[in-house]
Amino acid sequence: MRLHHSSLYCILCGSAVMIASSSASAAFVDDSKAALDARNFYMNRDFRQNGAAQSKAEEWAQGFMLRFESGYTEGPIGFGIDAIGLLGIKLDSSPDRIGTGILKSDREAPKRAQDEYGEAGLTAKLRLANSTLKLGTLQPVLPAVMRNDSRLLPQTFRGAWLNSNEIEGLSLDLGRIDQVNQRDSSDNQDMAVFNGGKRNIVLGNAKTSDEFLFAGGRYQWTPELATSYYYGGLDGIYQQHLVNLVHQLPLGEGQSFKSDIRYARSTDDGGSNVDNDAFGALFTYRLGGQGFTAGYQYLSGDTGFAYIAGADNALVNLVQINDFGNQDERSWQLRYDFDFASVGVPGLTFMTRYLSGDNVDRGAGQNEGKTWERNTDIAYVVQSGPLKNLGLRLRNATTRSNFGSDLDENRFIVSYSLPLW
């Protein structure tokens, strides 16, 4: 669906006003909130491998996200509604520089980016005690299904999601998704499994699916310890079980040690050869404003890690370009973070990390696959004054591989959030 600039505000605000005026509940209106988020996104990918199809992908765009969240009507079962409007506007692109993922391709000229694209989504919600049921547009961030928000506009899903917090410390989730709207699209579509790199996933007749089921929960045993289990299944393609343990160990003033351990078992669901065990662990030592992280990831089985194409996943080595989730891949990372608030500059942060992977199954008669990636991220958010909430972020990445693309990448993002009420 193509939206003109004025359409975005009219659709959501019109819906919100209609709903609010028709409800007699003060809480529905008083607890509602709305915000306009603006995101200016420049991205440049320089392809360095021999025989690359194009020398670079380079685009620049402006995005707007209008979000409305109502309160709930009074009574045993409260009713509410959320709405989201997304609009992306092309600022610079050309046929020889497309492919960054921040703009939608034009249907009539696939090698050109569309001048603008957008979508509007509504979510009905019901609340009973400490449980909430949402129907419509969803943006889950759960181990089994994680929406991707790494480009101009976020990925969204369509379905039903029940979250329950009736027991203190325990959060339970149950849901069904039937469609996905990718981050560079304005159309709902069936879901597929990611099969890039050396996943080596072989599909039967079911290339896509219109049903993804998820269920699970997270329990906070103590303020320092939490565990979770989640199931996710893309009908006819794969089933997955994910377990996670997070422990935070205080070590004294300004010091802590965090352990994040994850395991996932993926199998086929009658329409593929998916077979994978993925183990990952991250350990972070914090000293004042500094963070020192070491991570390790180990995959085994007949395929690489399976997840919904276009989404994020729960692998510990999912970073800016790669996730090191190919068949039999072993990978490690070292990371350093610094929060300048510790030296009197709140809002300024720095991160750098290096990852290396090997032992990838490239096929019969091929040497092992190897990849490395280096990331640097510098961000600043204005803390006060007329430009409060204005964010600036520079993300740089370099990756080299003997089976994938060799890339040098830069992203520059300017963001601003304006509360409307």
Side-chain angles (χ1 to χ4, degrees), residues 180-231:
V180 60
N181 194 323
Q182 302 291 4
R183 62 196 183 189
D184 57 351
S185 174
S186 57
D187 304 306
N188 283 318
Q189 55 190 284
D190 289 349
M191 294 162 285
V193 61
F194 176 76
N195 203 13
K198 290 297 178 181
R199 252 42 179 196
N200 299 327
I201 296 174
V202 178
L203 298 172
N205 295 326
K207 308 297 183 183
T208 61
S209 175
D210 63 358
E211 181 178 82
F212 181 85
L213 301 177
F214 63 92
R218 181 180 187 273
Y219 188 68
Q220 191 76 41
W221 298 90
T222 69
E224 296 81 21
L225 176 65
T227 58
S228 69
Y229 162 79
Y230 277 87
Y231 165 84

Side-chain angles (χ1 to χ4, degrees), residues 146-159:
M146 297 184 182
R147 66 100 169 90
N148 184 296
D149 191 19
S150 64
R151 294 294 194 275
L152 185 70
L153 301 176
Q155 177 192 47
T156 63
F157 294 91
R158 189 184 72 184

Side-chain angles (χ1 to χ4, degrees), residues 274-291:
V274 170
D275 173 42
N276 178 260
D277 290 280
F279 170 83
L282 287 173
F283 302 100
T284 302
Y285 171 66
R286 292 203 172 275
L287 175 62
Q290 300 183 88

Side-chain angles (χ1 to χ4, degrees), residues 2 23 35 176 184 217 253 266 334 385 392 421:
R2 178 175 291 186
S23 174
R176 179 184 184 274
D184 57 351
E253 186 176 356
S266 307
L334 293 175
L392 307 173
W421 70 77

